[in-house]
């Protein structure tokens, strides 16, 4: 079974990529399985300076998923370049560097400091994080700012640039079109869905940040809808993300128009989720009489009929 | 760390809202005192972190209090039920050569102290145990410590059993002089212990998703302003290391 997928900058042996923020920089998972089985991997969002993240609690639960408000905690780009990324050099998997910033200029500066790092095969712009006050989702909810950060990032980057979109907009296709026009090489659809919980005992929000981002199986239908709509709006490849727990879910995203997928929260409840899904995938493709991953992409789209 | 199928062997109420569950799982053989497991609760997405309380061959004992929906479902699991357990997780209590130690457990911070007490006894230490609860109906594990040959000093906030007051009141009234402490319990208790003792370890609690260090959900800050992951760098930390 041909599981391979070729995307700008990414030569994936299979379409499975752990999503940003659920994989750190690979060290913990490397103790559990050979990271070389992964098509690619997307590291935790990198910002210019170190960020300590949001006050606790940062985690809440909701039926069919979870809500997080981590707040982009990371050690800053220089530390990540020197101390984290070299670890991934010894694995045969395509590394995506996820970038975040409080301003458009910060995205460009982080990218400049990562240019020339060979282990990185592509950049992913997180303009969709609901858990930070400046930048983050603010940039991703407006077609003009989304296009502007894409343009500036493209001008700075020595590798292909993917843009990760938020579902928290009236029309996601307007954002997708805007970043495509600004030069994006691909889009990642979707980041978490803004959400919150209230503790009945204290009558206060559960999360220290009050609101957070919902992820997990409950958001899968939202993500499928977003991929399906974007696939009809743009010609650049789509990496699907949101609520994937098994190979059947992967196929649903491929049918909706995704070329590859990112797996997020499932890594947190089943640390072996990615290798498991990679192993399950051929049989699921066979079951639906598909000869390859590529053949599945976009099958559900009207224009393919 | 591994993910195993675990079979519930027993699940009984041992105090107000507190249950003792025995599970058959290979993890029991590897678990060290102060480590924890992430147990899958049927119908819930995230696993629940629960301390290793005791192990005997391939039987793992957990003691948990009903604090919300997940632990309520856990309390209803019947013998024969199957679930999955991820573990053992985190850094437990180091077992070092000490002449005498005092172990303190507050409420459902008590369970991990049982296996820890055994480990220190085996290492040749004199072990004193002080347990703090709110009221007599909350008290559990006195017999279990007695089976190890330790008579725990029981304290209750309302004075309905044992010494009236906190675990530190219990230490005073029992005249325990050990200066090396190992403790698990609610934050106010750990803060009080940390301002009284300088030697030893405390076990912390924080809401977490993964339990093995990848999501940054449970992060606290140490005295140098560095982030520490309660699940991976802890839950047990040297006294005074983490800002409480
Ligand atoms: C390392 C560690 C060891 C623990 N050991 C024990 C133990 O031995 N016995 C025991 O009774 N309890 C223990 N706890 C606390 C226990 O995990 C929570 O009481 C339990 O998760 C509550 O789940 P719930 O579904 O009933 O509550 P809900 O409030 O419905 O849970 C919602 C979410 O919040 C999380 N959560 C809620 N309260 C806590 C808390 N205090 N700590 C961590 N996560 C929480 C849950 O895991 C779940 O993800 C431990 C916690 C940690 C971090
Ligand atoms: C704990 C946690 C941390 C996350 N951190 C980031 C992050 O740093 N950057 C980012 O772009 N997305 C982050 N995400 C979003 C995921 O990458 C993913 O887009 C989202 O969770 C939806 O996928 P899922 O339902 O498979 O989890 C995070 C998600 C979780 C659960």
């Amino acid at each position: 079974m041909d599981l391979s997928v070729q995307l700008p900058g990414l030569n994936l042996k299979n379409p499975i990529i752990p999503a940003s923020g659920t994989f750190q920089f690979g060290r913990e998972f490397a103790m559990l399985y050979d990271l070389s089985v992964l098509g690619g991997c997307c590291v935790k969002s990198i910002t210019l300076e170190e960020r300590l993240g949001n006050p606790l609690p940062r985690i809440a639960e909701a039926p069919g998923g979870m809500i997080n408000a981590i707040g982009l905690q990371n050690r800053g780009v220089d530390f990540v370049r020197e101390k984290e990324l070299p670890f991934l050099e010894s694995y045969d998997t395509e590394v995506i560097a996820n970038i975040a910033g409080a301003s458009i200029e910060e995205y460009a500066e982080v990218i400049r400091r990562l240019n020339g790092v060979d282990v990185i095969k592509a950049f992913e712009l997180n303009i969709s994080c609901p858990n930070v006050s400046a930048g983050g989702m603010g940039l991703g909810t407006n077609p003009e700012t989304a296009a502007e950060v894409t343009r500036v990032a493209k001008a700075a980057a020595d590798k292909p640039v993917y843009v990760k979109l938020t579902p928290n907009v009236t029309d996601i296709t307007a954002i997708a079109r805007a970043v495509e026009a600004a030069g994006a090489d691909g889009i990642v659809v979707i980041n978490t869905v803004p959400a919150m919980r209230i503790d009945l005992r204290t009558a206060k929000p559960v999360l220290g940040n009050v609101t957070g981002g919902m992820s997990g199986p409950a958001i899968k239908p939202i993500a499928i809808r977003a991929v399906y709509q974007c696939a009809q709006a743009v010609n650049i490849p789509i990496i699907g993300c949101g609520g994937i727990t098994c190979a059947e879910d992967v196929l649903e995203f491929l049918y909706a128009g995704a070329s590859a997928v990112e797996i997020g929260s499932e890594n947190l409840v089943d640390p072996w989720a990615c290798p498991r899904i990679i192993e399950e995938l051929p049989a699921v493709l066979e079951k639906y009489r598909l000869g390859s991953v590529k053949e599945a992409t976009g099958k559900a789209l009207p224009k393919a009929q | 760390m591994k993910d195993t199928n675990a079979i519930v062997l027993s699940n009984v109420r041992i105090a107000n809202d507190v249950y003792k569950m025995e599970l058959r799982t290979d993890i029991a053989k590897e678990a060290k005192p102060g480590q924890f497991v992430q147990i899958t609760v049927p119908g819930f997405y995230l696993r629940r972190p629960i301390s290793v309380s005791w192990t005997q061959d391939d039987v793992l004992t957990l003691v948990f209090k009903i604090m919300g929906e997940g632990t309520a479902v856990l309390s209803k699991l019947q013998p024969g039920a199957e679930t999955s357990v991820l573990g053992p997780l985190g850094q437990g209590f180091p077992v070092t050569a000490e002449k005498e130690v005092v172990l303190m457990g507050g409420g459902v911070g008590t369970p991990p102290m049982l296996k820890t007490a055994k480990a220190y006894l085996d290492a040749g230490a004199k072990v004193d145990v002080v347990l703090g609860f709110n009221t007599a109906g909350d008290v559990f594990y006195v017999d279990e410590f007695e089976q190890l040959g330790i008579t725990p000093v029981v304290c209750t906030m309302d004075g309905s059993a044992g010494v009236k007051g906190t675990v530190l009141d219990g230490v005073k009234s029992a005249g325990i002089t050990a200066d090396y402490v190992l403790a698990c319990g609610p934050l106010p208790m750990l803060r009080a212990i940390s301002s009284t003792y300088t030697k030893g370890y405390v076990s912390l609690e924080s809401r977490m998703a993964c339990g093995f260090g990848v999501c940054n959900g449970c992060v606290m800050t140490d005295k140098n302003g560095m982030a520490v992951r309660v699940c991976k760098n802890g839950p047990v930390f040297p006294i005074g290391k983490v800002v409480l």
Side-chain angles (χ1 to χ4, degrees):
Chain A
M1 180 66 67
D2 180 12
L3 299 183
S4 74
V5 182
Q6 291 73 38
L7 301 179
L10 303 170
N11 187 11
L12 309 172
K13 59 169 89 76
N14 62 60
I16 307 301
I17 305 168
S20 181
T22 63
F23 183 73
Q24 290 269 58
F25 296 88
R27 283 179 210 278
E28 292 76 12
F29 287 100
M31 293 192 273
L32 307 180
Y33 59 83
D34 180 2
L35 301 185
S36 299
V37 305
L38 300 170
C41 62
C42 186
V43 302
K44 177 75 188 164
S45 277
I46 308 165
T47 54
L48 188 56
E49 309 289 345
E50 172 166 12
R51 290 209 193 179
L52 283 174
N54 285 326
L56 299 181
R58 296 176 176 182
I59 303 287
E61 201 190 36
M66 59 177 283
I67 307 173
N68 88 82
I70 307 297
L72 301 183
Q73 186 200 330
N74 79 103
R75 298 290 300 274
V77 63
D78 294 330
F79 183 92
V80 168
R81 187 188 57 231
E82 301 304 323
K83 302 279 189 243
E84 301 283 16
L85 293 171
F87 174 76
L88 289 165
E89 281 166 12
S90 46
Y91 298 98
D92 174 24
T93 186
E94 306 281 270
V95 176
I96 303 171
N98 181 297
I99 313 296
S103 66
I104 290 178
E105 182 44 38
E106 184 176 344
Y107 284 84
E109 183 56 25
V110 175
I111 288 174
R112 278 192 289 271
R113 295 193 192 193
L114 292 172
N115 278 339
V117 177
D118 285 343
V119 72
I120 299 173
K121 298 294 181 256
F123 294 110
E124 177 180 296
L125 308 182
N126 176 5
I127 56 165
S128 42
C129 179
N131 301 326
V132 287
S133 46
M137 198 170 76
L139 294 170
T141 51
N142 174 314
E144 279 85 52
T145 51
E148 182 59 15
V149 67
T150 306
R151 228 180 334 266
V152 169
K154 272 298 282 181
D158 67 350
K159 312 220 169 61
V161 173
Y162 292 73
V163 184
K164 186 170 182 183
L165 306 186
T166 172
N168 193 37
V169 290
T170 312
D171 178 9
I172 196 168
T173 63
I175 313 285
R177 281 197 203 92
V179 302
E180 179 184 42
D185 296 283
I187 51 177
V188 181
V189 179
I190 55 176
N191 205 318
T192 53
V193 181
M196 78 180 277
R197 296 287 319 259
I198 295 167
D199 186 331
L200 299 185
R201 278 163 299 201
T202 61
K204 297 236 159 58
V206 170
L207 295 170
N209 189 53
V210 181
T211 61
M214 177 94 190
S215 61
I219 73 164
K220 192 184 79 173
I222 298 172
I224 294 285
R225 181 269 301 165
V227 170
Y228 183 81
Q229 291 179 332
C230 289
Q232 295 171 73
V234 297
N235 292 311
I236 49 178
I238 299 171
I239 299 177
C241 179
I244 296 172
T245 66
C246 60
E248 282 82 358
D249 293 343
V250 174
L251 182 56
E252 196 174 342
F253 273 90
L254 297 176
Y255 278 171
S259 296
V261 294
E262 291 185 4
I263 318 273
S265 311
E266 190 64 10
N267 292 306
L268 310 179
V269 290
D270 175 7
W272 290 270
C274 286
R276 166 173 59 78
I277 292 169
I278 292 165
E279 219 176 282
E280 289 170 0
L281 191 55
V284 170
L285 294 174
E286 244 160 61
K287 177 172 171 195
Y288 294 97
R289 299 178 206 291
L290 295 155
S292 68
V293 164
K294 291 176 206 111
E295 194 187 325
T297 292
K299 263 208 143 187
L301 297 172
K303 65 182 177 211
Q305 282 169 1
Chain B
M1 166 177 124
K2 53 183 165 190
D3 188 6
T4 63
N5 266 346
I7 299 168
V8 178
L9 301 175
S10 67
N11 191 12
V12 292
R13 185 180 170 282
I14 57 170
N16 289 342
D17 286 340
V18 176
Y19 288 75
K20 174 172 164 180
M21 177 187 278
E22 290 181 312
L23 294 153
R24 172 157 287 140
T25 155
D26 285 345
I27 289 170
K29 293 178 189 149
E30 294 165 29
K32 298 200 186 68
Q35 287 189 300
F36 68 102
V37 297
Q38 283 269 56
I39 183 166
T40 300
V41 184
F44 292 81
Y45 190 62
L46 294 176
R47 298 172 186 248
R48 297 300 189 268
I50 304 287
S51 302
V52 170
S53 180
W54 188 252
T55 60
Q56 181 86 55
D57 303 321
D58 63 351
V59 178
L60 171 70
T61 304
L62 307 178
V63 172
F64 58 89
K65 182 169 183 180
I66 298 180
M67 295 300 290
E69 294 173 3
T71 43
V73 170
L74 265 190
S75 75
K76 298 202 176 74
L77 289 188
Q78 298 296 316
E82 267 185 60
T83 184
S84 102
V85 177
L86 182 71
L89 301 169
Q91 310 297 321
F93 287 104
V95 183
T96 51
E98 303 295 330
K99 261 221 206 74
E100 48 174 358
V101 297
V102 53
L103 273 57
M104 302 183 201
V108 276
T110 298
M113 305 324 293
L114 188 67
K115 192 170 164 65
T116 308
K118 176 77 163 76
Y120 271 90
L121 285 176
D122 289 349
K126 172 175 182 294
V127 179
D128 279 308
V129 173
V130 185
L131 306 178
F133 301 93
N134 281 320
T135 185
D138 292 351
V139 177
F140 63 90
Y141 257 25
V142 171
D143 290 350
E144 280 80 353
F145 281 103
E146 281 177 348
Q147 279 161 28
L148 296 179
I150 299 166
T151 306
V153 179
V154 172
C155 317
T156 52
M157 293 308 284
D158 68 358
S160 55
V163 180
K164 182 173 188 323
T166 66
V167 285
L168 290 178
D169 296 318
V171 168
K172 231 174 280 161
S173 89
I176 295 168
T177 54
D179 65 352
Y180 189 94
V181 63
L182 303 152
C184 182
L187 259 188
M189 168 183 144
L190 298 181
R191 283 198 193 106
I193 290 172
S194 300
S195 58
T196 312
Y197 292 82
T198 54
K199 285 197 274 179
Y201 292 84
V202 293
S203 180
L204 306 182
E205 226 180 57
S206 173
R207 282 187 182 232
M208 49 183 64
C210 68
F212 57 98
V214 299
C215 75
N216 286 350
C218 63
V219 167
M220 294 175 84
T221 310
D222 75 9
K223 288 278 152 70
N224 303 319
M226 296 289 291
V228 293
R229 292 165 292 175
V230 170
C231 71
K232 179 90 180 173
N233 309 111
V236 173
F237 292 96
I239 272 190
K241 181 178 165 76
V242 178
V243 180
L244 298 180

